[in-house]
Amino acid sequence: MNQGMCDELTHAFERALPNTEFSTVFMPQARIGIEFERNANLCFPCMIYNPGQHDRVYFTEPTHWYPPHGVITTHELAAELTEQFGNPIELSALLESEQYYLAYPHGRKFGDLQPILESHSSQNSYRIVRTGDNAPTAILAMIRANRVHYTIDYPILVEYDKQTAESDMAFIPIAENQNSVVIGAIGCTKNAWGERAVQHLNRGLPAIRNDEQFMARLAMYYNNIPDYFERYEQLIRQHQRETSPQTSPDRSDNQPELPSL
């Protein structure tokens, strides 16, 4: 714990906004969704940036980007899956198979892949939804123990597992999303508090984009993507002058700071 990219992003905001009191609470992703539904005042790092498409969340400007989701499994099973379903793998065909079990964290969403997963939701007997803390890494342990066969996640999870568990899992690109780019941002509850929180956090973003420790953490996990930072600059620059349509513009540089985040 506390070695992930999102952990370092949280610390980077603490460094960028030193006059703000931050309180960090660890909870399962499904619980975070429940808290958003309850209109609790909170912000969650590393959400998929989709302004205007989430009815309970305001988003900051983008903070980073992810390569597209893929299938993560053992190297032995990866060879078997790609022989049957291709490389990049056809996720729709894999989901239709009764032979292979998919596991993923409860409450997790998958961007462009979500409609495909939902369209195959009738195969519930071939899915395991994991709850609790550290669900992604727990699922990798289940795959290694042959209790399930694969999960869907970002390639960063393979690198994280290698760094923390000294394991070596296989990552297979998915045909249906191989040209997608996923943008990450901070999501805050869609209420008056959350609107102020987003405006306040956006003030710290210039410092975040130059934070050496956060950049080093990105480099550690995306060292297999040579042009990661070049694309980072392009994608972030594309958004940094945009004011999100979901919130009103920051009304004044003299607006009082939030007491806590």
Side-chain angles (χ1 to χ4, degrees):
M1 186 175 291
N2 208 34
Q3 299 181 55
M5 185 184 70
C6 300
D7 297 306
E8 194 56 52
L9 177 59
T10 301
H11 297 324
F13 271 105
E14 293 172 350
R15 292 189 289 269
L17 300 168
N19 295 323
T20 301
E21 180 183 349
F22 288 84
S23 177
T24 302
V25 179
F26 294 94
M27 62 180 69
Q29 190 159 347
R31 172 68 184 279
I32 295 168
I34 292 172
E35 294 301 310
F36 279 137
E37 290 178 2
R38 291 176 175 170
N39 207 35
N41 293 338
L42 78 156
C43 296
F44 180 49
C46 296
M47 292 188 70
I48 295 177
Y49 178 72
N50 57 353
Q53 300 179 38
H54 201 303
D55 60 357
R56 299 191 183 279
V57 175
Y58 287 138
F59 290 94
T60 66
E61 295 173 13
T63 54
H64 57 287
W65 71 277
Y66 303 93
H69 297 90
V71 167
I72 298 176
T73 186
T74 63
H75 284 278
E76 293 78 12
L77 189 54
E80 181 178 323
L81 293 179
T82 54
E83 182 178 357
Q84 293 188 57
F85 305 107
N87 189 1
I89 201 164
E90 292 186 20
L91 181 61
S92 296
L94 175 58
L95 290 170
E96 290 172 1
S97 171
E98 299 180 1
Q99 182 178 354
Y100 303 104
Y101 283 69
L102 163 67
Y104 57 89
H106 181 50
R108 186 70 180 272
K109 302 295 183 182
F110 297 93
D112 292 345
L113 299 178
Q114 194 63 33
I116 299 172
L117 288 161
E118 292 174 356
S119 70
H120 291 82
S121 60
S122 60
Q123 285 94 350
N124 288 328
S125 59
Y126 309 112
R127 298 189 190 194
I128 295 175
V129 182
R130 174 77 187 215
T131 60
D133 296 335
N134 302 317
T137 52
I139 288 170
L140 295 186
M142 293 170 66
I143 294 171
R144 287 191 289 268
N146 202 34
R147 293 173 57 195
V148 296
H149 297 106
Y150 69 101
T151 190
I152 298 171
D153 216 305
Y154 299 112
I156 189 174
L157 182 60
V158 173
E159 189 63 32
Y160 179 84
D161 189 55
K162 185 183 298 184
Q163 297 280 345
T164 58
E166 298 183 353
S167 175
D168 184 23
M169 305 292 283
F171 180 88
I172 310 170
I174 293 173
E176 289 92 335
N177 74 338
Q178 62 177 320
N179 297 317
S180 301
V181 170
V182 181
I183 304 296
I186 308 293
C188 299
T189 306
K190 199 168 191 177
N191 58 20
W193 182 93
E195 182 178 8
R196 295 195 305 273
V198 163
Q199 293 169 357
H200 188 66
L201 292 171
N202 279 339
R203 294 191 189 104
L205 282 176
I208 299 296
R209 293 163 184 154
N210 293 288
D211 186 277
E212 292 184 1
Q213 290 170 258
F214 180 51
M215 293 298 111
R217 188 63 57 90
L218 290 175
M220 181 175 74
Y221 286 120
Y222 292 121
N223 57 39
N224 60 339
I225 304 177
D227 65 342
Y228 180 85
F229 286 102
E230 179 181 346
R231 298 184 70 184
Y232 176 93
E233 290 295 329
Q234 293 171 350
L235 291 165
I236 295 302
R237 191 181 303 115
Q238 174 183 331
H239 292 90
Q240 67 184 5
R241 290 194 178 94
E242 297 178 2
T243 299
S244 174
Q246 64 194 318
T247 63
S248 58
D250 194 356
R251 286 174 287 274
S252 172
D253 290 338
N254 297 320
Q255 187 177 7
E257 291 191 341
L258 299 176
S260 62
L261 286 174

